[in-house]
Each structure stands twice: as structure tokens, then as C-alpha cells.
Amino acid sequence: MFKHGLRRRLALLASATALLLPLGIAQAGAVTPATATTASAEGPIPGAYISPWGSADVEISPQAQRWLQKEGIALEAISPFTMHPDGKGFSMPIGSTAGDGLDSKGRIYYPGGLRLHHAESGQTVTLKPTWIRVMPRPGYSAGLEVNGRTFSEETQIADTDYFEAMKGARPSPTGFRLEKIPFYFTQEVEDLIEAHSDIDAPDGGTPLGTLTPHFDYIPGKPAFPGLPG
């Protein structure tokens, strides 16, 4: 049992590493997960596996905090996202788009999103639905609405770097964890916000914050038999 669990764990970590490096898709052993949260999205890539269950925490960068304060913008989490008590970050569950892997666009789905309320103009920018992209450009993407009007089905809000992401990779009893992956606002989001709202958007390349995801191999089950989940 121990050897079998170890082989499954190594297959997961090898697959995740290959997916997070610019080398294409890895083929991993088939695993049937216990549960999945479905969403309207493309189907998974056959044979590619990266755990789409778990949770993640985002720490908002000091630069992004100063931008929010300067513009008079209140940040609100859309359930099941939850703001941290100090307002300097938020937590979110990781959900599956379909089946047991990335969708065909190379994304991991996160149910929920964010709203930015601009007090001076009364405008609200909504970022939902939410994905973390593994490829072709790793980063954070979301739908974009201004005052309830959809301007983009998906916009790359922030970029990150494959090698920065893998610096903090480490195993955990139920899967694996990536520590404090840095994300930076894109030029796309700066252009869209400034074109369709009265909000002075952050410059492209400004740090948005860091993401720390914890991926579970199978929800509620340890990767090593005998260890707690």
C-alpha cells in the first residue's frame, strides 16, 4: 500500500511540474475523484492531470493596497471567496471545471470572484468567473463587467512566471502546495478598466499580490495511506 501510494504521489508531482513548466502537457495515471464542482467550461484535456480541488490564499501586494486606497476603491469577495479579516487578502476554494483535470484552455477553475466599488463614480467592476491559467500564459484571468455590463468573457488580469511558481513547490499529506506565487497586473486590464470606467487603473507590471494554492490529490483522502488528510 505504501509503495502504491508513493507511485501515485510521484505521478501527481511529476505531472504538476511538467504542466507548470513550458514543456507541454504530461500524461498522468487516471484517477477517479470522489467529488467535483461543475462549471460551464471546456472539457478537460484527456490524460492530463493536475488536482482541481483544494484551497488557496491571496495576499494583496502593498502596491495594490496603495492603489485601492488612493482611488477610493472597496474590494469585496464574491462567495465562496472570503476576505481576510485585515482586508489585505482573500481565500478561495479550488473547483473542478469538469472531470479530473485542467480544461482544454489550460485553466483551473475557482468558483467566485471579486468586486471593486469606486466610491467617487459609483461604478462597480466585477471580476467573475475566475481561473488560474497554467498555459499558454500562466496567470489569473476572469470575466470583466462594469456596472453589470459584460465587456469581456475572459481577460488576463495578471501574469506570473513558471519558474517563480515552482520555487515554492513542496509536498503535503494530501497533495502538494505552491508558496507565494507572484502575480503582476497586465496591460490588458489597465487598458480595459481605463477605457470603460472612471477608475485610474494600475499600470501594467504593478504587483497584484501572491497566490498560495494547496492542491488535494483526492478530496479528503491522504496521498500516503495512514497519514491524516
Side-chain angles (χ1 to χ4, degrees), residues 25-166:
I25 299 293
Q27 300 296 310
V31 176
T32 302
T35 59
T37 302
T38 58
S40 178
E42 301 289 338
I45 302 170
Y49 181 82
I50 184 170
S51 171
W53 301 276
S55 60
D57 286 293
V58 172
E59 294 180 14
I60 301 170
S61 72
Q63 296 93 328
Q65 292 177 43
R66 288 194 293 270
W67 169 70
L68 292 169
Q69 185 175 19
K70 174 178 174 289
E71 295 300 318
I73 297 171
L75 184 64
E76 174 190 329
I78 301 172
S79 181
F81 284 24
T82 57
M83 295 298 300
H84 293 169
D86 62 6
K88 297 179 180 179
F90 54 92
S91 300
M92 50 191 183
I94 302 170
S96 174
T97 50
D100 67 351
L102 299 174
D103 71 15
S104 63
K105 295 182 179 180
R107 308 174 301 185
I108 302 170
Y109 174 68
Y110 284 72
L114 299 170
R115 288 193 184 94
L116 292 83
H117 300 284
H118 187 227
E120 184 176 345
S121 66
Q123 291 181 316
T124 299
V125 175
T126 301
L127 303 176
K128 185 185 176 182
T130 301
W131 297 277
I132 295 298
R133 278 194 166 273
V134 174
M135 54 188 179
R137 284 171 58 197
Y140 156 44
S141 65
L144 179 64
E145 293 183 357
V146 178
N147 294 333
R149 181 181 174 190
T150 299
F151 282 94
S152 170
E153 295 294 332
E154 182 182 3
T155 295
Q156 188 101 343
I157 306 299
D159 288 332
T160 188
D161 179 88
Y162 291 109
F163 301 102
E164 288 287 339
M166 289 308 299

Side-chain angles (χ1 to χ4, degrees), residues 18 36 94 136 178 215:
I94 302 170
L178 301 174
F215 297 101

